[in-house]
Amino acid sequence: VAEAHRWFEVMHADFEATDVVFCAMIGACAQAGRPQEAVEWLERMEVAGAKPAVESYGSVIHAFAKDGQVAQAVDWLGKMQLAALQPNDVVYCSVIDACAKAGNPGEAVAWFKRMEDQGLRAEVTAYTSVIDAFAQVGQAKQAAAWLRKMLEAAMEPNILSYNSVIGACARVGHPGKAIAWFEKAVAAGLEPTAASYTLVIDACGRAGKVDEVVSWVEKMQEAGLVLDPAVFTSVIAACARSALAKDAVDWLRRMTESQLQPGEPAYSAVVNACGKAGQVEEGIAWLRRMAAAGCRIGIRPHTSIVSAFARMGDGDGALAWLDKMERDRVQPNVLTYTCAIEACGGEGEDSAARVEVLLRRMSGAKVQPDKVVYAKVARLFGPSSGVLELLRNQTSEFAHSLGNDSGYITMPRRAKVGEDLARRLESSRRPLDMSPGMTFKRVLRQEQSGLPR
């Protein structure tokens, strides 16, 4: 944009800028993802007496769409119509793409239908944007259904269309379906891209299938594609999910040996692997290396360390790490506190008192307990314990302070569901997996509890 601006001023010194030149500047801002600058150039175009055309407005809409700003994209489409300009299929595709980036598939479908109602033919780009909208929110079935609609409309999906469906399958942890769509793309005569392989690798990694992850990495290399940071990070994350700390470290070293700089996700995954393996010292060492590499240390790696202390049954270590987080101005979240509760809720005589201190600390930090916290406390101390009663009281007080419209009033039901889960866990004598990333839905699935949502 800066270089285009410089040449614009050079030209403008000797010649009057035309609408084509202004449109080029607006387009440059749009490609660079600078919507406000695109708007300023369109306004400058009007001041100069040049009349903006469909392409000019389309570029502004595209600029907002790239940033997922749906409301602004729609607003400028309205301004375009007020200027007596009829939006074309490219403009509608930009709005659909904005809905996709914002993770709003319903709006994407609505704008797709509006485009058709205007008598405009939906092209591959429009279908792919709708598919991507469903993929962004992990609705794999709907994404696949729209690809089939595309085929029924005699449209030939491109590799981006298939990649969106593969990505949707990856998001919901369905490696088999991701691989099936990969193979369908190949059968359709399309050449898979690096992104195609990376998405399949990610799908296998999310399902904890490390062997398949490595196999697909080898296939990617056999196809002549270079492994990028995203691929290495997916492999490291897969190792972390299976608590394979040594393998995670080996892959990070291979990444650096490939002259690639690991980022925050890669280091965080290694720390997570150490945490799941209960390797406290190794996890802390990698956290320090992460800081030395200039990476921002967020809540996830800190929670992994607390989880490691919990697996070791080291309540003192977990509490000390919470203190360190506060000194470093990193706010513990509900999962961090849950891991600390697990660490402190052992067989010791003071375990109940320590957990009560943690609950008060949690309440003071305005961290909302979830169902798993209730399940954890009920399982450790029993459904009729004073610790659980304290948790109920704190929840009620916090909900009252927030008001009836806060949504926090659902917490009594959370307590009931959590306590029911705790009883089932206690009767089955099965351990509760409280590793980072284990959502309550996964806990329910893991324990096959059959509880209502």
Side-chain angles (χ1 to χ4, degrees), residues 291-302:
C295 296
R296 185 188 69 86
I297 301 179
I299 183 64
R300 187 176 178 84
H302 280 288

Side-chain angles (χ1 to χ4, degrees), residues 38-349:
V39 170
E40 291 170 4
W41 276 101
L42 188 139
E43 293 172 347
R44 184 171 173 177
M45 180 180 184
E46 291 176 322
V47 171
K51 187 176 181 180
V54 172
E55 292 75 14
S56 306
Y57 279 97
S59 293
V60 172
I61 294 169
H62 177 60
F64 283 109
K66 285 193 71 172
D67 200 33
Q69 298 186 42
V70 181
Q72 291 85 343
V74 171
D75 182 53
W76 274 95
L77 188 145
K79 290 179 180 179
M80 180 180 181
Q81 292 173 319
L82 289 175
L85 295 172
Q86 183 61 37
N88 56 22
D89 60 330
V90 176
V91 173
Y92 276 103
C93 282
S94 292
V95 177
I96 296 169
D97 186 51
C99 297
K101 286 183 169 58
N104 194 335
E107 282 294 309
V109 172
W111 279 102
F112 183 95
K113 292 179 178 177
R114 288 184 195 179
M115 180 176 68
E116 289 188 319
D117 291 342
Q118 294 297 318
L120 298 171
R121 175 179 166 80
E123 299 293 341
V124 172
T125 304
Y127 278 99
T128 301
S129 292
V130 174
I131 294 169
D132 190 51
F134 284 107
Q136 290 294 328
V137 293
Q139 296 184 19
K141 288 184 179 179
Q142 292 86 337
W146 270 88
L147 192 143
R148 294 189 186 99
K149 285 183 182 181
M150 191 175 179
L151 292 168
E152 291 168 1
M155 291 283 172
E156 293 186 7
N158 56 27
I159 192 60
L160 296 178
S161 309
Y162 281 98
N163 283 353
S164 291
V165 179
I166 296 170
C169 296
R171 283 178 179 271
V172 293
H174 288 162
K177 293 181 180 179
I179 293 170
W181 280 105
F182 181 98
E183 292 172 347
K184 287 180 181 179
V186 174
L190 298 172
E191 184 176 351
T193 62
S196 308
Y197 284 94
T198 302
L199 290 167
V200 172
I201 290 168
D202 185 51
C204 296
R206 287 173 183 262
K209 298 186 175 182
V210 180
D211 291 340
E212 288 193 33
V213 167
V214 175
S215 174
W216 276 93
V217 169
E218 293 171 352
K219 290 178 182 179
M220 185 175 180
Q221 291 176 309
E222 290 170 2
L225 297 171
V226 178
L227 304 185
D228 61 12
V231 175
F232 280 103
T233 301
S234 293
V235 178
I236 296 168
C239 296
R241 289 185 181 95
S242 299
L244 300 174
K246 182 179 181 300
D247 291 341
V249 170
D250 288 344
W251 275 98
L252 187 135
R253 285 178 176 151
R254 286 179 63 176
M255 183 177 182
T256 56
E257 289 169 0
S258 299
Q259 306 302 312
L260 295 173
Q261 178 62 44
E264 177 189 348
Y267 278 109
S268 183
V270 171
V271 177
N272 186 24
C274 295
K276 284 193 171 185
Q279 299 177 5
V280 177
E281 294 302 325
E282 290 83 351
I284 294 173
W286 279 104
L287 194 71
R288 289 171 180 157
R289 290 174 187 168
M290 182 178 178
C295 296
R296 185 188 69 86
I297 301 179
I299 183 64
R300 187 176 178 84
H302 280 288
T303 300
S304 296
I305 298 299
V306 178
S307 175
F309 280 117
R311 291 175 184 277
M312 299 294 292
D314 187 352
D316 291 335
L319 293 175
W321 199 264
L322 282 179
D323 293 338
K324 172 180 168 50
M325 289 176 67
E326 291 186 357
R327 289 195 302 271
D328 294 343
R329 298 184 179 181
V330 179
Q331 176 62 49
N333 60 16
V334 64
L335 182 54
T336 316
Y337 280 108
T338 306
C339 293
I341 289 170
E342 174 72 15
C344 295
E347 300 295 334
E349 296 180 358

Side-chain angles (χ1 to χ4, degrees), residues 313 343-354 381:
C344 295
E347 300 295 334
E349 296 180 358
D350 61 342
S351 60
R354 299 175 82 180
F381 302 103

Side-chain angles (χ1 to χ4, degrees), residues 375 378-379 383 416-432 440 443-444 446-452:
R379 182 171 66 87
K416 177 66 167 59
V417 174
E419 291 164 25
D420 288 346
L421 174 60
R423 291 190 186 96
R424 298 188 186 202
L425 292 174
E426 184 66 25
S427 62
S428 65
R429 300 294 179 184
R430 294 176 63 189
L432 180 62
F440 185 68
V443 172
L444 291 180
Q446 170 192 331
E447 301 302 335
Q448 298 179 342
S449 62
L451 292 174

